[in-house]
Amino acid sequence: MRVLVISDIHANLPAFETVLKDAEGEWDYVWCLGDVVGYGPNPNECCDLLKTLPHLCLAGNHDWAALGRLDIRTFNADARKAVTWTIETLTEENTRYLADLPTAFVLGDYTLVHGSPREPVWEYILDPLIAALNFPQFETPICLVGHTHTPIIYQLVSEQGDTDPLPPVYREPKSLKGQRLIINPGSIGQPRDNNPDAAYAILHVEEKIFEHRRIPYPVEHTQEMMRNVHMPERLVTRLKHGW
Ligand code: ZN
């Protein structure tokens, strides 16, 4: 099976559509690692489009925020405004869809979570140390995560738990065989690695071949829609900078 691995769409329809077009004909199933909504201008459109695809999807922290499951008083003012708008905008049907998302999946050799295996909704795997602490927390060879919006692979390189970060090499298939890895495909709708292009990956599940990808999308279109619904300007401009 060929899987389109995506994460952190963040209600950015132009980015999501661009990725689907770029990967057209190259996948059979979608694994979405959470944060379908939050920040972006198209929460319903992104849920609706995802629901038309053969897919599974995990719950992210922003999906939970959009369900009112979080105390958003701890969010900064911009994030709070975006969450409130998302809660008000989501249809009842899409709210129900998000409410039913699980926090983890184990499928053969792959564990899937939004954040990390030990804290599936919350923890950010931002460096090799945090990755190292998470390797004992899942039993499959490979774990796929999102949440940080940064494409990367962490490889376990010793029995003592030493972990190396491997930067993504785009459009170059990589064999995952015989390795223990934590892999992040990056974010479709709000990349945070100083590269505004949408990020995603293609995984050949049984063959264990993985490929990181980037594709430019019409950022200005998303920004215009965000301004039309009065999203905070800081959230609008960051898309242009990939941060
Ligand atoms: Zn996110």
Side-chain angles (χ1 to χ4, degrees):
M1 183 170 67
R2 304 166 305 166
V3 167
L4 178 69
V5 185
I6 59 175
S7 191
D8 298 277
I9 300 168
H10 280 291
N12 186 338
L13 186 65
F16 190 15
E17 287 179 333
T18 299
V19 163
L20 291 179
K21 192 154 187 285
D22 190 50
E24 202 174 346
E26 296 186 73
W27 54 270
D28 311 300
Y29 205 82
V30 177
W31 291 355
C32 176
L33 306 175
D35 279 5
V36 181
V37 303
Y39 294 131
N42 316 114
N44 287 311
E45 295 86 341
C46 288
C47 288
D48 290 341
L49 179 54
L50 184 59
K51 287 188 296 188
T52 66
L53 311 173
H55 78 287
L56 61 80
C57 185
L58 295 161
N61 55 316
H62 280 268
D63 304 315
W64 277 17
L67 299 169
R69 284 188 188 167
L70 308 185
D71 183 356
I72 59 168
R73 285 175 302 184
T74 60
F75 283 35
N76 68 50
D78 288 346
R80 213 160 48 229
K81 189 164 182 206
V83 169
T84 306
W85 179 84
T86 303
I87 290 174
E88 289 166 1
T89 303
L90 273 172
T91 63
E92 219 173 283
E93 186 193 323
N94 285 328
T95 300
R96 257 200 316 274
Y97 168 77
L98 295 175
D100 287 340
L101 299 179
T103 56
F105 268 110
V106 177
L107 297 152
D109 284 338
Y110 304 87
T111 298
L112 280 58
V113 289
H114 179 65
S116 79
R118 68 173 179 181
E119 284 283 350
V121 178
W122 297 108
E123 187 175 38
Y124 292 90
I125 302 186
L126 283 165
D127 57 50
L129 178 64
I130 301 172
L133 293 169
N134 271 283
F135 273 108
Q137 306 286 325
F138 63 101
E139 291 177 0
T140 59
I142 316 280
C143 180
L144 299 174
V145 302
H147 198 33
T148 66
H149 300 204
T150 301
I152 193 161
I153 298 178
Y154 292 103
Q155 180 178 21
L156 186 68
V157 291
S158 79
E159 282 180 18
Q160 290 71 43
D162 299 303
T163 300
D164 280 348
L166 312 173
V169 184
Y170 297 115
R171 303 209 182 242
E172 201 165 283
K174 173 187 167 59
S175 172
L176 312 179
K177 277 187 183 148
Q179 302 163 70
R180 285 214 84 205
L181 305 165
I182 296 173
I183 303 178
N184 192 322
S187 165
I188 286 192
Q190 199 196 73
R192 288 183 195 156
D193 58 346
N194 302 309
N195 176 351
D197 296 351
Y200 73 98
I202 299 282
L203 171 67
H204 291 233
V205 174
E206 292 82 11
E207 299 83 351
K208 288 198 169 171
I209 304 284
F210 182 90
E211 186 181 322
H212 272 117
R213 291 190 179 174
R214 295 306 276 266
I215 183 79
Y217 73 94
V219 178
E220 300 76 18
H221 185 194
T222 303
Q223 291 181 310
E224 193 191 321
M225 288 190 284
M226 289 176 79
R227 290 196 177 101
N228 288 345
V229 296
H230 311 293
M231 280 287 175
E233 188 57 28
R234 195 184 68 92
L235 297 180
V236 178
T237 47
R238 71 187 296 184
L239 290 180
K240 193 85 206 161
H241 307 292
W243 181 250

